[in-house]
Amino acid sequence: MDKVAPPTHRNRPWAPAPARRPPWTSGGGRPLWPQAEPLAGRRARGSLSGRSAAELLDAPAGSALHRLPPTRLSGPGGKMAAAAECDVVMAATELELHDDEEAKREAESFKEQGNAYYAKKDYNEAYNYYTKAIDMCPKNASYYGNRAATLMMLGKFREALGDAQQSVRLDDSFVRGHLREGKCHLSLGNAMAACRSFQRALELDHKNAQAQQEFKNANAVIEYEKIAETDFEKRDFRKVVFCMDRALEFAPACHRFKILKGECLAMLGRYPEAQSVASDILRMDSTNADALYVRGLCLYYEDCIEKAVQFFVQALRMAPDHEKACIACRNAKALKAKKEDGNKAFKEGNYKLAYELYTEALGIDPNNIKTNAKLYCNRGTVNSKLRKLDDAIEDCTSAVKLDATYIKAYLRRAQCYMDTEQYEEAVRDYEKVYQTEKTKEHKQLLKNAQLELKKSKRKDYYKILGVDKNASEDEIKKAYRKRALMHHPDRHSGASAEVQKEEEKKFKEVGEAFTILSDPKKKTRYDSGQDLDEEGMNMGDFDANNIFKAFFGGPGGFSFEASGPGNFFFQFG
C-alpha cells in the first residue's frame, strides 16, 4: 500500500492557516527597525531617524530615506510607526531651531567682545573672539569683515584678504567688505585688483568718500609703477627709488616694490639701506629668491664677492630661472678670477701681464663700483712700476671718482704727484688722507709734501747753476764759472736795455746760488727746507759783483773786450 502522507494545512483545507508575520519583523517577531527608540540612542547608533530635520527634508532622491520600504509607513502597525517618526522629526526640528538661536546669540556675544578688544587696540584678542564668532556662525559676512579689519591692523594683509573675499562671497552687497578687499589688494601691491574692488563698492554706494579716495590711491600706484619701469630701463635709479617710496606709502606689504627699491639702492651704492630692505623680507620669508638676490648684490658691490656668490647660488636654488641672479653670479665668479690672476702676475713681477688682466677685469661689470675702484688703483700701481706716472695718476683719479673714500688710491696718486714734482696736488691728497685717518704715518707724509711744496716755491739754486742735487763742490764751482761769465752784465753792454736787465737778474741769481751751495752749512739748511732769511741770511742785500770778484781774484783779474759786434771774449790778468 502506498503510504499516506501526513496531513498538513495544504491537504487539509479545513485546517486554519498559521498567522502571517508582519513583513517589517524578523522571524521571532522583532521589528526590523526601532520605532520608538529615544533620539539620542538612535543618533549614537547612526540610524536614519537620528538625522536632523533639515537633513531628512533635504535628502536627495536615491538616498537611504527614499530607499525605505513602503511598509515603513504602512501595513499593520504602520500608523503607529509613522506617528512616532513624525514626532521624532518635529522634536529634532525644534531642537535645531533652538540650537541655531542659541548659537547666534553666542556668536553675537563673541563679536561684541571682539569689538571691545578692537577698540582697545588689542588686535590679537579681537582676532580670537571674531574667530569664535565665525566658528559659531560661519555664514555671517560681518564676522569675516571684522576679522579682516583686525588682520589688517596686525599687518597680515594676505590673511586679511582671504577673510574680506569670504565676506563678499557671503554678501555681495557688503560695501565695507569690498573696501577691505580692495585695501588688502592695494597693500599687497595689486593695484588693478584693488581698483575693481573699489569700483564695486562705488557701484553699491557711489557717494562713499573712502571708496573714492582709495580708488584714486590705487590709480596713483599704477602710475608710479609705469614711471618706475621706464626709469629703470633708463638707469635713472634715483627716480625709481622715489617712485617706489611713494607707491609703498599705499602698498606697505608689497615685496615686489621693496625688491625693486632695494636693487636700485644697491645700484646707487647705498648698500646699508638696500641690505635693510632685503633683510626685512628675508625675516618674513627666508626663501624669497628676489630678496636673496638683492642681498647678494649688496655684497657683490661691496667687493665681498665670495659671500655674494653664496647668496646668488641660494637664490638660484629657490628660483632656477632667476635671470638677474644668474648673470650676477657669472660676473662675480669671472671678476674674482681675473682680479686674482692680476694680483698673482703683479707679485711675480710680470707687470705687463698684470696690466692686461686688470684691464680685462675692468670690462666685466661697469656697475661694480668698489671692485672697479680697486682694479683702477691696482693698475695705477702697475703703471707706477712701469714709470708711466701720468697714466698711474689717471688710473688713481678714476679710482677715487668711483669711491671717494678709497684711501689707498689717494696715497698712490699723492706719491705719483711727488715723483712728478706736483707738490700742491700731493699736499691736497695727503690732507684728504690725514683728515680721514689721523695716523702718525699719514701726518709725516703730509709734512714731507708740505716741505717739498715750500721748497719748490723758493729759487731752485741747483736748477740755476744747472747741476744735480748731489753735485760735488768742484762741479758747483765749474757751473758757477760758466754761468757767471754767460750772464755777466759787461758781456751784454751792447744789448737792449730789456736784455741787459734780464741778464743782470740772472747774473745775480747765479751768485746767490753759488753763495748758498758752496757753503756746506747753508747748503744743508737749504736742502732741509729751512727759511734762509730766518737764519740771518738775508739775500736781499746780496752783491753778485763781490762774489764774482772774489771768485776770479779781484780787480784786474779779468776783463771783457769786444772783438766785433755782439762778440766778446774775456782775459785773465
Side-chain angles (χ1 to χ4, degrees):
M1 295 181 63
D2 295 331
K3 291 183 179 180
V4 178
T8 66
H9 73 278
R10 291 188 182 276
N11 56 24
R12 288 187 296 167
W14 64 88
R20 186 186 300 272
R21 73 172 183 269
W24 59 84
T25 63
S26 63
R30 183 173 55 83
L32 289 172
W33 59 78
Q35 296 193 17
E37 187 176 359
L39 182 61
R42 277 178 282 163
R43 280 182 176 168
R45 295 214 328 263
S47 65
L48 286 171
S49 57
R51 293 188 176 183
S52 69
E55 290 177 305
L56 290 170
L57 294 174
D58 295 336
S63 68
L65 180 60
H66 290 276
R67 291 197 300 271
L68 288 173
T71 54
R72 174 69 175 83
L73 300 175
S74 62
K79 290 183 179 182
M80 290 181 62
E85 188 66 28
C86 184
D87 289 342
V88 170
V89 171
M90 290 178 66
T93 302
E94 290 175 2
L95 182 61
E96 291 290 338
L97 291 173
H98 176 74
D99 289 347
D100 286 346
E101 290 299 323
E102 185 65 27
K104 287 180 181 179
R105 284 194 295 272
E106 193 170 356
E108 278 298 310
S109 175
F110 287 141
K111 173 192 168 185
E112 292 301 325
Q113 292 179 74
N115 291 347
Y117 280 112
Y118 187 94
K120 295 176 183 177
K121 297 184 180 181
D122 188 346
Y123 301 117
N124 287 311
E125 278 301 313
Y127 172 85
N128 292 334
Y129 278 99
Y130 289 140
T131 300
K132 291 178 181 179
I134 290 171
D135 290 341
M136 296 302 297
C137 290
K139 302 287 180 136
N140 190 306
S142 67
Y143 298 166
Y144 285 99
N146 286 5
R147 191 167 73 173
T150 303
L151 287 166
M152 289 168 67
M153 297 306 295
L154 290 170
K156 299 178 179 180
F157 293 99
R158 198 165 297 282
E159 294 92 329
L161 177 60
D163 275 354
Q165 289 175 328
Q166 179 63 11
S167 73
V168 297
R169 274 195 292 267
L170 293 170
D171 183 3
D172 186 54
S173 64
F174 187 27
V175 175
R176 281 186 294 178
H178 288 291
L179 285 172
R180 287 165 184 158
E181 180 187 11
K183 188 68 175 175
C184 289
H185 278 308
L186 185 57
S187 297
L188 293 167
N190 192 347
M192 293 297 293
C195 282
R196 290 192 292 269
S197 296
F198 296 137
Q199 282 177 331
R200 178 59 183 151
L202 289 170
E203 288 172 5
L204 296 168
D205 181 6
H206 69 279
K207 292 183 179 180
N208 191 297
Q210 184 184 355
Q212 292 171 354
Q213 184 59 52
E214 294 292 358
F215 185 73
K216 290 179 181 178
N217 294 343
N219 281 297
V221 170
I222 292 172
E223 190 63 26
Y224 284 131
E225 281 191 81
K226 291 178 181 177
I227 296 171
E229 183 179 354
T230 301
D231 290 330
F232 189 86
E233 292 177 358
K234 295 178 181 177
R235 302 185 66 78
D236 189 350
F237 301 124
R238 292 184 186 279
K239 196 169 181 182
V240 176
V241 171
F242 172 82
C243 289
M244 288 301 95
D245 279 337
R246 301 289 80 74
L248 284 166
E249 291 176 3
F250 304 114
C254 181
H255 286 180
R256 183 164 48 87
F257 293 167
K258 291 179 181 179
I259 290 295
L260 182 56
K261 175 185 175 181
E263 185 177 359
C264 291
L265 286 171
M267 293 292 190
L268 292 169
R270 293 160 63 178
Y271 307 121
E273 295 173 73
Q275 288 179 12
S276 177
V277 170
S279 297
D280 287 344
I281 295 174
L282 289 172
R283 273 193 291 271
M284 293 182 283
D285 179 10
S286 61
T287 64
N288 189 297
D290 291 324
L292 290 168
Y293 160 71
V294 170
R295 187 74 180 87
L297 198 65
C298 292
L299 292 167
Y300 171 61
Y301 285 153
E302 287 185 295
D303 199 38
C304 300
I305 296 180
E306 288 187 12
K307 289 184 179 179
V309 169
Q310 293 175 7
F311 276 92
F312 294 144
V313 169
Q314 192 175 352
L316 290 169
R317 284 200 196 103
M318 300 298 109
D321 296 331
H322 200 294
E323 185 178 356
K324 289 183 178 180
C326 184
I327 293 172
C329 188
R330 184 171 62 245
N331 286 345
K333 290 179 178 179
L335 202 54
K336 181 176 179 290
K338 286 289 183 185
K339 183 181 177 183
E340 288 177 351
D341 289 344
N343 292 345
K344 182 180 178 182
F346 180 84
K347 289 177 181 178
E348 292 174 352
N350 193 342
Y351 301 130
K352 184 177 180 182
L353 178 59
Y355 178 89
E356 293 174 355
L357 290 168
Y358 289 141
T359 302
E360 289 174 10
L362 283 165
I364 292 174
D365 185 3
N367 294 319
N368 195 323
I369 294 172
K370 283 206 170 182
T371 302
N372 287 345
K374 291 183 178 180
L375 290 169
Y376 273 119
C377 186
N378 288 358
R379 196 173 73 173
T381 304
V382 171
N383 278 324
S384 68
K385 292 290 185 180
L386 296 171
R387 304 310 298 168
K388 297 179 179 179
L389 297 178
D390 289 339
D391 291 342
I393 290 172
E394 185 178 347
D395 277 343
C396 292
T397 299
S398 298
V400 297
K401 281 182 179 179
L402 292 176
D403 184 2
T405 64
Y406 192 18
I407 297 299
K408 189 175 180 180
Y410 284 108
L411 289 170
R412 174 61 56 192
R413 187 172 69 173
Q415 185 57 55
C416 291
Y417 281 139
M418 293 288 287
D419 293 341
T420 54
E421 298 184 359
Q422 300 180 62
Y423 300 118
E424 289 187 5
E425 289 80 358
V427 167
R428 185 175 62 246
D429 279 354
Y430 283 132
E431 284 177 342
K432 173 74 175 178
V433 170
Y434 185 65
Q435 288 171 3
T436 306
E437 295 182 0
K438 296 183 182 294
T439 66
K440 290 182 179 180
E441 181 184 359
H442 295 160
K443 185 177 182 180
Q444 187 58 49
L445 289 170
L446 175 59
K447 277 189 171 183
N448 294 342
Q450 290 171 334
L451 177 60
E452 292 300 323
L453 175 61
K454 183 179 179 180
K455 288 163 64 175
S456 70
K457 291 183 176 180
R458 302 178 307 173
K459 292 178 181 178
D460 189 344
Y461 293 139
Y462 292 102
K463 188 175 181 180
I464 290 171
L465 292 181
V467 296
D468 186 76
K469 291 182 179 181
N470 298 319
S472 65
E473 185 177 350
D474 288 340
E475 289 174 333
I476 290 173
K477 287 181 178 180
K478 289 179 182 179
Y480 171 71
R481 179 189 295 273
K482 178 181 177 182
R483 298 291 175 127
L485 294 174
M486 182 185 300
H487 300 296
H488 195 283
D490 290 349
R491 185 172 184 179
H492 303 282
S493 58
S496 64
E498 185 177 350
V499 171
Q500 288 183 17
K501 185 177 180 180
E502 181 65 24
E503 292 299 325
E504 185 178 353
K505 178 183 176 183
K506 289 180 179 180
F507 178 71
K508 183 178 180 180
E509 288 177 346
V510 168
E512 287 180 14
F514 179 70
T515 300
I516 299 301
L517 299 182
S518 62
D519 185 322
K521 185 178 179 180
K522 294 178 182 178
K523 182 177 182 296
T524 299
R525 289 175 177 173
Y526 174 78
D527 289 342
S528 64
Q530 296 182 39
D531 193 333
L532 299 179
D533 289 339
E534 292 178 0
E535 298 294 330
M537 296 177 231
N538 189 350
M539 306 305 293
D541 299 330
F542 174 79
D543 188 343
N545 287 315
N546 291 336
I547 299 297
F548 184 85
K549 291 175 182 178
F551 186 85
F552 287 103
F558 88 61
S559 63
F560 283 99
E561 293 186 8
S563 60
N567 296 317
F568 295 86
F569 67 92
F570 56 88
Q571 178 180 357
F572 290 94

